[in-house]
Amino acid sequence: MVETVPTATNSPNVQLHQVGKPLIRTDAPNKAYGNTLYAGDLTMPGMLYAKVFRADRPSALIVKVDTARARALEGVRCVLTAWDLPDRLVVTDIPGQTGGKTKNTAQPILAKERVRFFNEPIALIAADSEEIAASARDLIEVEYAPFPGVFDRAEALTAGAPLVDGDANVVAAYKIRKGDTERGFEEADLVIENSFRTQVQEQAFLEPEAGLAWMDDKNVLNIKVSTQVVEHFRAIADALGIPHNRVHIEAMYVGGGFGGKEGLTIEMMLALLAYNTRKPVRLILTREESFVNHGNRHPFTLHYRSGVKKDGRITAMEVRLIADSGAYSKLSPYVLLYATVGAPGPYKVDNLKVDSVVAATNNLSTCAFRGFGTMQACVAYEGQMDEIAKSLGLTPLEVRQKNFIHTGDRNATGQKIESAVWSEQCAIQALEALGERAKGNDVVKIGRGLACYQQSYGRIRWFKDSSEAWVGIEVDGTVIVRCAVTDIGAGQSSSLAQIAAEVLGVPMEKVVTYFGDCTLNPLAGTSSASRALYMTGNATKMAATKVRDNLLEWAGRHFQVPPDDLQLVEFRVTAISDPARSMPIDELARRCAADGVHRHHLAMFKAPTSEGLDPETGQGEVFPDFTYGAHACEVAVDTETGEVTVLKSVGAHDVGQSLNPQSVAGQIEGSALMGQGFALCEEIIQRNGVLVTPSFSEYLIPTSEDVPETKAIILESRSGLGPFGSKGMGEPAFAPVAASIANAVADAIGVRIFELPITSEKVINALARKASGQVKMH
Amino acid sequence: MLPRFELYQPTTLPEALGMLSETGGNVRPFAGGTNLIPDLRGGREQARKFVSLAGLDDLRFTRFANGRVEIGSLTTVSDLHRSHEVLRNAPALHASATAFAGHMVRCTATIAGNICYGSPSADLLPPLLSLDANVTLASAAGLRILPLSRFNLGYKQTALKPGEMMTQISWPQPARGTVQLFYKLGLRKGDAISVISAAVSLTLKQMVCTHARIALGSVAATVVRAERAEALLLGRELTEKLIGEAAELAADASAPIDDLRASKEYRLHTARVLVRRLLRQAAEGPGEAGSTRRSTEG
Ligand SMILES: Cc1cc2nc3c(=O)[nH]c(=O)nc-3n(C[C@H](O)[C@H](O)[C@H](O)COP(=O)(O)OP(=O)(O)OC[C@H]3O[C@@H](n4cnc5c(N)ncnc54)[C@H](O)[C@@H]3O)c2cc1C
């Protein structure tokens, strides 16, 4: 169910014809009919099948890898180990950026001297059939020698802990020093201190990693793959030692990414095998392989100390964060930065101290995942808000209203918030939408939870992010958008079609978006960081506007009216002052072509930049802008069994401007369920680094039978930096969900569970603690 | 990766039994495959020869006649779930079919597969055990009938002999007014392996218990009956105090383990809670048919 609330706008005169309408997405029909080909559907004549041999332990020295028997097996075409690869094989640390690399993120493609995490890849195999490749994998023998590992993030930071790599297990650390926390705590009437813990979450996208690679007759290495980032072509070329223009990556429609396909997925493995065999090679990971192949969500320990006045105003906040990066740092420094900057949430905290660190361990790697550090902080700061409210006898909404950050205020790093901040409206609407409260009884208790958030969209400013797009109009009035954005299921390519259609006045069916191709399309950057629509949408709008200007200039001359008297709608150009002066757009395009008018344009959109943070105070500008909103839910808790049932789940978000309300609702509804999984049942569990939840039998995501009544409320301030004033929505919709469920459970049973996921058993234990008086009362 | 295996596809029962016996017991029945396929893929199943039972349509039936209930071994969980007769006559079994897996798996999973897999978390077992069900085992040599309570011998161990397969499950219709209840606790609502489950079958005459069966799932190596609790209830008035004592005894009958899904302590706690809850519900009268934490749907 979707409700759109069009409200005050920055540019009240815009009249949108296609943007903001729930048009049928260009990718939808073929997906619904099963016609869409995904990377794993592709085949080629003479194709080989790949398999990956992985370590069976989390920490060890590799004494010897014996591949002789595997190589000797009939039908095996290639077996590669680290010894077959040149030493320069490392990966970039900032996916999609133009060449950014830091040495501490170097990760071997295949383990050589040491195994640092469970199931680290050791060898690659290509064979005539999948079965032969699998048999060859069984024939590889590795001789290991013991090597101590460290599996606890706090322990990893103690002196004498086994080192994962280099000379320290600190992957990154940040601090924020703002105002005077000592004075702030002195002024406080009450100080509330709590520790929260969040778990490792698996992205669980529908489509596991898959791809097909081959060398073509131009000696170009082609890779069709399921990825969020086509710009990895550079890292692959560097690794192979071939020029960048000889690696051509095409991202197919992707069956979900959520950050799990932001780092290299399997492109490098495919590249190495195809390059070495000169044959097409296909690799499709099983679900179990997928679990260990990409980095999951960082687990965090979050310690919060908040000082408040009796009226609920926060006077000081002290935060300590410890995250676990697993064996290789990947994007950990950035995830930690997001958590650090996001630590106070959507609240104005003038006296703030944050210390954060991310530790290397021999656990599975963690990396990008929707919410990217910020959502973990949300679980803690929103838990704190409710604990404060409870102690002061305020409602959760009241205590938040006292502290919300507003437009013009400065956030944790001193950055001025320029766009609208509608946290309050969103919170009120979300709570209202819960409607009448369900009835509980002696055993089943009903609770409600609210959570607000601040989530950035767009990349870190000092990445100097940019995006390009090309728009052209054909002489029959059809439009082409070329943009190497990856379409990861959120409707990225469709949104660009909708933007071009709006600007050029053609129906959306007349637009085709060519996407995901790193060579034939202008580069657009990643589909990550809630940046795709913001960045590529702006680039597309700029390019389309230039084409429109060219067409209107010609039409103005033709109709003898100024160009700004002309409108392009419903496939016609028409003079507003004299509607008789009008022609269909195909005729316009044809006549422009005949007169040599430029009918296409390549545009680049550049995000605002900065030069980084002051390392001592953490002050500076980190993100382009932020999205604000709220999630509210109602739960029923069976106090005898501990079962938690989410009854209603409502997301209300200021999206700036919704391009397609159906897609926005899709983000909100999907987030409601993904967040519910994080709150209640999803957990990657490792015992001494060994994964004990290796498949969907043990790792439990919510099923269709767990879906609560869900509602999406869309507010539009039109104040964002994206096209038509839009803001990013991919991550924001997810950010507050788990926190709101945790708050609802605490509301229902009168005691908080500080460690996610909130399983039935934890509920029973918390209730037992409460009954025995072991819970501190404020 | 799914290993290669041989699948024989008989169309009649004698043909199937012949195939099962011919190769000296190296061949195993293959019903819905919802346990076998994941186990083959995961390397937990070593057999490589199977006899598909899919062609034996005669073994897919539910009969309610002459005071007996007979269910064919190939009846699927969704057959049970959709059957009004099952809902009326075996509401606890119906509730367990409703709480079973998700729609897709219910449509393929069979009742015999659930029993013969020998898992203590099999959802249909507690209700069937509480109904005193018998199982019919057939081989080329003939038939034998065994009480279900003597069929599941240990964790994934059954009384099936090489060459044998299950053809039907049957039980006497319980006395009028018998209340049959089931409750399953899982870590999520759909496709959940039970953390613990309980079934109760209770006949009351003026609140005096004349027949009692209590069965618990996921608390020991097999689904177990709480026989001491049953004995306690027999001939007594079902008071709150008695219910509490029976719940204690039921918990005593269980020997749960710690695993990924829950701790031993939690299972003991919820064994008590579930038995107490179901007995209280029974005391309140038949009211609605069966009990499940999920509502019945399509
Ligand atoms: C996603 C998923 C969810 C699940 N959820 C549940 C759940 O909620 N509750 C639950 O109890 N189970 C669940 N299961 C397990 C499984 O579906 C059930 O145990 C099912 O009843 C097995 O029946 P089947 O017909 O598929 O058996 P199969 O896989 O075909 O066989 C299972 C075993 O029984 C033997 N067998 C089968 N039929 C006969 C016969 N007639 N005679 C002798 N031996 C036979 C086979 O040789 C094999 O050893 C789930 C499985 C999956 C994949």
Side-chain angles (χ1 to χ4, degrees), chain A residues 398-470:
Chain A
E398 281 164 353
V399 72
R400 287 171 174 80
Q401 281 168 324
K402 288 271 188 250
N403 293 290
F404 279 133
I405 201 165
H406 296 289
T407 305
D409 287 343
R410 291 187 181 273
N411 75 353
T413 66
Q415 180 176 338
K416 198 164 149 197
I417 307 298
E418 308 276 0
S419 67
V421 181
W422 283 8
S423 304
E424 185 175 0
Q425 291 94 313
C426 292
I428 291 171
Q429 295 211 17
L431 285 172
E432 268 175 9
L434 290 179
E436 205 177 318
R437 208 179 170 98
K439 286 198 178 48
N441 56 39
D442 284 351
V443 173
V444 177
K445 304 291 177 195
I446 306 297
R448 286 187 164 186
L450 169 70
C452 302
Y453 67 92
Q454 168 184 275
Q455 177 87 42
S456 61
Y457 61 93
R459 303 193 96 175
I460 294 172
R461 285 189 180 218
W462 53 89
F463 288 4
K464 317 232 156 117
D465 198 11
S466 65
S467 174
E468 290 187 86
W470 183 99

Side-chain angles (χ1 to χ4, degrees), chain A residues 257-279:
Chain A
F258 307 110
K261 293 172 184 166
E262 182 173 346
L264 277 164
T265 63
I266 54 167
E267 301 89 324
M268 190 73 91
M269 298 172 175
L270 285 168
L272 286 165
L273 290 170
Y275 188 72
N276 277 281
T277 59
R278 298 250 144 194
K279 291 224 160 211

